[in-house]
Amino acid sequence: MPSLQDLAFLGISAFTLASAAGVAFSRKVLYSAFSLLGTFAGAAGLFVLLSSDFIAVTQVLIYVGGILVLIVFAVMLTNKIGDVKLSNQSVNYKVAVPFAAAIAILLISILTSGMWVQKDEAYTSMIVPIGNALLQDYLLPFEIVSIVLLGALVGAMVIVRREVK
């Protein structure tokens, strides 16, 4: 009987793979962008299962909160993006399917022949040490980066608000 953690891993990984397939095979750009949300959320869920809480939160904040929102806004603000016909005439399944099968066989053989050791170490959160390092040891570089990002934001606003003559 698989454990609850194994079932959670299988569920999250299946969700991530299905979302990634939606990104790759969707015919509409907006649907691909929304499928990318599921892919990023699934990757964050896998980081949670690996006890990497800081990386999971960073994944959600940066990729889902920043990059994905930027992509969705870019797609939605682009004029007539739904009218564009995209076609790929160079699809060659005779080469792609054997190549993908060979890679899958190689990965499965590596997974089955490996010596996998599970450690029984207690989980310790990395958020407190990273926060202490950012706000004690690396405070000056942290503040310099925040000032540079603020300057980039103000510069972007100035460029956008400039009147076209």
Side-chain angles (χ1 to χ4, degrees), residues 8-73:
F9 171 76
L10 290 174
I12 292 172
S13 60
F15 174 73
T16 305
L17 288 174
S19 297
V23 171
F25 299 123
S26 178
R27 298 210 181 265
K28 300 211 179 270
V29 177
L30 188 61
Y31 294 160
S32 291
F34 285 134
S35 294
L36 194 59
L37 171 67
T39 305
F40 287 155
L46 291 173
F47 282 127
V48 168
L49 287 178
L50 289 171
S51 299
S52 297
D53 50 356
F54 179 76
I55 297 175
V57 169
T58 305
Q59 171 87 16
V60 169
L61 286 176
I62 292 174
Y63 286 107
V64 175
I67 294 175
L68 185 66
V69 169
L70 179 69
I71 290 172
V72 169
F73 274 116

Side-chain angles (χ1 to χ4, degrees), residues 149-163:
L149 289 175
L150 178 65
L153 182 65
V154 169
M157 289 171 46
V158 166
I159 290 172
V160 169
R161 294 192 58 121
R162 188 180 323 177
E163 291 184 25

Side-chain angles (χ1 to χ4, degrees), residues 50-130:
L50 289 171
S51 299
S52 297
D53 50 356
F54 179 76
I55 297 175
V57 169
T58 305
Q59 171 87 16
V60 169
L61 286 176
I62 292 174
Y63 286 107
V64 175
I67 294 175
L68 185 66
V69 169
L70 179 69
I71 290 172
V72 169
F73 274 116
V75 167
M76 293 178 78
L77 292 175
T78 303
N79 289 336
K80 299 180 183 176
I81 193 133
D83 298 338
V84 176
K85 292 273 189 178
L86 298 175
S87 64
N88 189 358
Q89 300 298 330
S90 64
V91 176
N92 193 350
Y93 290 109
K94 294 177 184 175
V95 175
V97 171
F99 186 69
I103 290 177
I105 290 170
L106 176 69
L107 288 175
I108 289 171
S109 68
I110 289 171
L111 285 173
T112 56
S113 67
M115 296 291 294
W116 301 98
V117 178
Q118 185 175 4
K119 294 186 177 185
D120 292 330
E121 295 179 9
Y123 167 71
T124 57
S125 176
M126 291 302 295
I127 291 178
V128 173
I130 290 172

Side-chain angles (χ1 to χ4, degrees), residues 135-155:
L135 296 176
Q136 290 175 359
D137 300 334
Y138 300 105
L139 181 62
L140 183 62
F142 184 72
E143 291 299 326
I144 290 172
V145 167
S146 68
I147 291 171
V148 168
L149 289 175
L150 178 65
L153 182 65
V154 169

